[in-house]
Amino acid sequence: SWSALDSPLVGRSASVLQRMDHRSVSSVTIPPPACMLRPLEVPMRYLFGPGPSNVPPRVLASGSRPIIGHLHPEMYEIMNDIKKGIQYAFQTENNMTISMSGSGHAAMECAVFNVVEPGESVLVAVNGIWGERVAEIAIEKHKPVLFFLTHGESSAGLCHPVDGIGDICRKHNCLFLVDTVASLGAAPIFMDKQKIDILYTGSQKALNAPPGTAPISFNDRACYKMFNRKTKPISYLFDMTHLSNYWGCDGNTVRAYHHTGPVSGFFALRESLAILAEKGLEESWRKHKEVSAYLYKGLEDLGLKLFIPDRDLRLPSVTTIAIPEGYDWREMLGYIMKHHQMEMTGGLGPSIGMVMRIGLMGYNCEKTNADKALHALADALKNCKKSKA
């Protein structure tokens, strides 16, 4: 005999009730973290360290534009703009000019991974100034395929001379790789004229974009070495065979998917390069030189000693001062952060415990900001404990 319980509708209802009952017993054992239920809070600070630096409102606004697909034609157009902006900033006509989806460290690894193969030597300039004669002696002795030099050494506040080294590298069939993360836009660099084979920088210093993108350029010599290797690069993400296609540098009309680039980061990088183009490189270099000279005088008036005695070798974007005698540098920096909402930093690597670093670059490169930094230092010198020794 037929019963209402045999109805298909009743059967489906029972099934739904069973699923609802199953969901009422949650399988989630980790509750939502309390911090994620609070609004995001970010303090306003003066970033007067070696980077990142404060970002102009225009660049911040560009990063909040609507997201578009990383393979959309409009995105390719923006990437093409970025390429042209990098060529201007680097002073190069190199076709193989892109931005890495990552920090300056990513660009450094991209350069090394793509042009150096197992068993080959790399010569790295560490500490001090590499004069032309010393560089040539070292290259003759070690026969490297790559010579690496940091143009703006932010740990010491030093700007390395570059002229002449490119000629030596070409004489000895060695590629010349230069890091301008701390110097681009603040100190003159001419990739083509100075015969630099690979040049890279970061977005977060004098370029004044958020951290996370890193312009890099390879000339024809570097491309020949890079695309005629016997072994594949050790990184797929940094493989220029794929990245050159993604950036439209390999001559192919179709760009294949390689990775999802930081769309908002590229918006911000494009805008920061536009600001540099509008201002002009020479004006940017002049401004950094002027403001750094103003800062030097103010520091000396406070009785502080500049770490690099030769003014011509000082990095305009990051100034290093010797830690004042009798003071605890950590206490001073902590005091400045607490009472002035201002970041300055200690040394890095070999310069830890030797220097304090003040960065006034790009958007922050103003005499009014130098005055703020000097006032904060004077306040710290007055109120921080000084040992009797």
Side-chain angles (χ1 to χ4, degrees):
S1 64
W2 182 85
S3 167
L5 294 176
D6 295 325
S7 167
L9 290 173
V10 172
R12 282 200 295 271
S13 298
S15 177
V16 170
L17 287 170
Q18 284 178 342
R19 289 200 300 271
M20 290 176 65
D21 182 62
H22 176 72
R23 283 202 300 266
S24 68
V25 181
S26 176
S27 60
V28 174
T29 58
I30 306 298
C35 63
M36 291 292 100
L37 304 179
R38 296 194 300 265
L40 172 67
E41 293 183 8
V42 180
M44 174 58 203
R45 290 196 173 129
Y46 297 106
L47 299 180
F48 294 168
S53 55
N54 293 105
V55 175
R58 175 175 160 185
V59 175
L60 283 175
S62 70
S64 66
R65 296 286 183 91
I67 297 290
I68 58 175
H70 62 292
L71 301 178
H72 289 183
E74 296 85 356
M75 194 66 224
Y76 292 155
E77 187 175 343
I78 290 167
M79 293 166 73
N80 292 340
D81 290 348
I82 289 171
K83 177 178 176 176
K84 290 182 175 70
I86 296 170
Q87 288 171 327
Y88 171 69
F90 285 6
Q91 286 296 283
T92 183
E93 295 180 352
N94 293 340
N95 171 60
M96 197 61 64
T97 299
I98 71 170
S99 174
M100 300 300 297
S101 302
S103 67
H105 197 108
M108 178 188 70
E109 291 198 2
C110 175
V112 175
F113 289 172
N114 279 279
V115 301
V116 181
E117 296 196 68
E120 294 179 333
S121 298
V122 176
L123 183 64
V124 182
V126 182
N127 299 329
I129 298 300
W130 283 66
E132 290 184 42
R133 185 174 297 178
V134 176
E136 182 151 22
I137 291 169
I139 289 174
E140 284 180 347
K141 178 180 178 181
H142 298 285
K143 295 180 171 52
V145 298
L146 183 70
F147 176 56
F148 176 81
L149 178 74
T150 301
H151 180 230
E153 181 52 77
S154 62
S155 62
L158 186 72
C159 193
H160 282 274
V162 173
D163 288 343
I165 297 178
D167 288 312
I168 293 168
C169 288
R170 294 194 178 189
K171 178 181 175 182
H172 295 278
N173 196 30
C174 172
L175 295 175
F176 186 26
L177 167 62
V178 177
D179 173 318
T180 63
V181 170
S183 59
L184 188 82
I189 195 80
F190 302 91
M191 185 174 187
D192 289 354
K193 286 182 184 177
Q194 293 173 316
K195 298 179 181 175
I196 298 167
D197 299 300
I198 310 170
L199 186 72
Y200 71 86
T201 193
S203 57
Q204 75 276 19
K205 302 206 179 191
L207 276 183
N208 286 144
T213 56
I216 186 169
S217 182
F218 301 80
N219 69 6
D220 289 343
R221 292 182 76 236
C223 287
Y224 182 82
K225 176 77 168 71
M226 187 161 59
F227 296 128
N228 287 279
R229 15 180 333 130
K230 299 181 181 71
T231 59
K232 286 187 176 182
I234 61 173
S235 169
Y236 176 82
L237 180 61
F238 296 158
D239 188 339
M240 281 300 296
T241 303
H242 303 298
L243 288 173
S244 62
N245 174 261
Y246 179 50
W247 279 85
C249 300
D250 65 351
N252 290 325
T253 55
V254 177
R255 302 192 195 190
Y257 171 75
H258 173 246
H259 73 286
T260 304
V263 172
S264 297
F266 287 155
F267 291 170
L269 177 60
R270 190 259 180 215
E271 205 65 6
S272 69
L273 289 165
I275 291 172
L276 180 62
E278 290 164 9
K279 177 182 286 187
L281 276 170
E282 290 177 324
E283 173 58 20
S284 184
W285 297 334
R286 186 202 65 77
K287 184 75 175 289
H288 281 83
K289 188 173 183 179
E290 177 187 318
V291 172
S292 61
Y294 181 83
L295 178 64
Y296 301 156
K297 184 180 186 307
L299 292 167
E300 289 168 342
D301 289 346
L302 287 175
L304 296 168
K305 182 182 177 183
L306 290 155
F307 186 67
I308 304 296
D310 188 337
R311 180 182 288 258
D312 292 335
L313 296 179
R314 292 174 190 162
L315 180 61
S317 51
V318 181
T319 298
T320 46
I321 55 175
I323 296 168
E325 189 175 351
Y327 284 92
D328 181 330
W329 61 274
R330 289 186 178 90
E331 183 188 359
M332 287 188 68
L333 295 176
Y335 180 91
I336 289 170
M337 177 64 83
K338 180 179 179 181
H339 295 279
H340 297 272
Q341 293 75 51
M342 184 181 297
E343 179 192 50
M344 297 180 193
T345 67
L348 182 68
S351 68
I352 291 177
M354 298 174 66
V355 301
M356 291 165 52
R357 297 184 291 165
I358 307 165
L360 295 176
M361 56 190 98
Y363 182 59
N364 286 342
C365 184
E366 298 289 346
K367 289 182 180 179
T368 52
N369 286 331
D371 287 335
K372 289 185 178 78
L374 293 166
H375 173 69
L377 282 165
D379 189 29
L381 289 168
K382 180 181 177 181
N383 289 287
C384 291
K385 295 176 185 177
K386 183 179 181 182
S387 64
K388 296 179 181 179

